Amino acid sequence: MRKRRFFLKLIMVLCLFLIANTVFALLAYHATTWLYSRLGAEPQGFWLQLGTVIGVFVLFACSAAIIFLIGLNRQRNYWDTIVDALSRMAKGDFDVKLDLKADEEDQFGQLIHGINHMAVELGELERMRQEFISNVSHEIQSPLTSINGFAKALKNINLPEEKRQHYLDIIELESHRLSKISENLLKLTSLESQHHPFEPKQYRLDKQLRNVVLALEPNWLEKELDFDLHLDNICITADEDLMNQVWMNLLTNSIKFTPNKGTISLSMRLDSDRITVIVQDTGIGLTEEQQMHIFERFYKADQSRTATNGGSGLGLAIVKKIIDMHNGTITVESKLAEWTRFLITIPIVSISARAND
């Protein structure tokens, strides 16, 4: 297709060149004839043709010079517009759109398209950065406000010991929450920096899942939850520490949002060279809108519950990033007030996505 367009343009240029030279020849012939008649000279043969050729050359050169100057001025305007757009982007203004007319298939058109696309992407990154800063500020401000308020209350010397202890417990809880936010932020930043260690090795996935369930035993026993395990003896090659955090975050969430005497099931399904782990609970469930945003940073499906439980909205974002690093997928299915199911699919032999860059 591109070659065809090139040949069509070449044929059009040749046709225009021939037409232009024919017009120039007619003009030169009439001009030299008029000039000779005014001078009273009538050259013949070679000299007559030479005069016509010189006339054609002069007309062609003048036309080429005029076209060149017009094109040069237009090109200068184009480049000035492009340089101005790049300067605005360098200063942080990404509301830039070049409306220069150009064929997207040639190099100049690709340059304009690339600048417009870059402005859109940088604008989106800036929006995400501002939103991230706003969310971080909000999340940090909440526990700091509580700590500051209860610390001032403790200065009251007449405060009963029971209330004093209660305030100290709240300060300790909010301090832990603040520490957890900071820890998760550092973890997520490290994972997204493309420099976080990725050390895949072969290990028993079912054994890892059982160990996580046992580690969380005090949490689910306190709420009298039933754990239903259907785990096969399967080995995978993945980063064991990172995957351990995935299961820990998912099961901790399930325990948090499952009412007392509920049920959490943990099972796995082998599909060719991939393994799917299914975490399902009889918890509060999620709406369709919540399911769409559940893996976003700082998103909280239930503000009151996450605040009570010290959630920061970063746990599932970290889970999603770790699964992406293993070239896997994670999806959520839920029915409000009845159940929630997470499906995590990863290759049995996982290779970091960065290794393929």
Side-chain angles (χ1 to χ4, degrees), residues 147-250:
I147 292 171
N148 183 55
F150 287 111
K152 288 181 179 179
L154 287 173
K155 292 181 179 180
N156 184 359
I157 58 175
N158 297 321
L159 191 69
E161 184 60 29
E162 183 180 350
K163 281 192 175 182
R164 185 182 302 276
Q165 190 59 46
H166 177 62
Y167 292 167
L168 287 172
D169 290 340
I170 293 177
I171 290 175
E172 183 180 8
L173 180 64
E174 292 296 323
S175 299
H176 176 73
R177 180 182 168 196
L178 191 60
S179 175
K180 195 66 177 178
I181 292 173
S182 175
E183 179 185 339
N184 284 337
L185 278 172
L186 290 173
K187 183 73 173 181
L188 190 57
T189 302
S190 176
L191 291 171
E192 293 182 341
S193 69
Q194 304 297 315
H195 299 295
H196 190 86
F198 185 83
E199 301 171 349
K201 63 179 181 180
Q202 189 178 61
Y203 68 92
R204 285 265 303 275
L205 177 59
D206 60 302
K207 185 177 180 181
Q208 182 184 46
L209 292 169
R210 293 179 192 278
N211 287 338
V212 171
V213 172
L214 289 174
L216 295 172
E217 185 175 11
N219 303 65
W220 53 268
L221 282 181
E222 182 182 357
K223 300 182 72 173
E224 301 180 40
L225 302 179
D226 289 330
F227 253 94
D228 189 10
L229 303 181
H230 299 279
L231 305 176
D232 299 324
N233 185 343
I234 295 178
C235 290
I236 64 169
T237 301
D239 189 306
E240 187 173 5
D241 290 338
L242 290 178
M243 292 305 300
N244 193 75
Q245 186 162 0
V246 168
W247 313 129
M248 187 68 72
N249 284 357
L250 289 174

Side-chain angles (χ1 to χ4, degrees), residues 278-294:
I278 304 167
V279 180
Q280 182 168 337
D281 61 61
T282 56
I284 60 176
L286 299 166
T287 65
E288 290 186 5
E289 182 180 356
Q290 289 170 343
Q291 293 175 48
M292 291 172 57
H293 303 285
I294 195 67

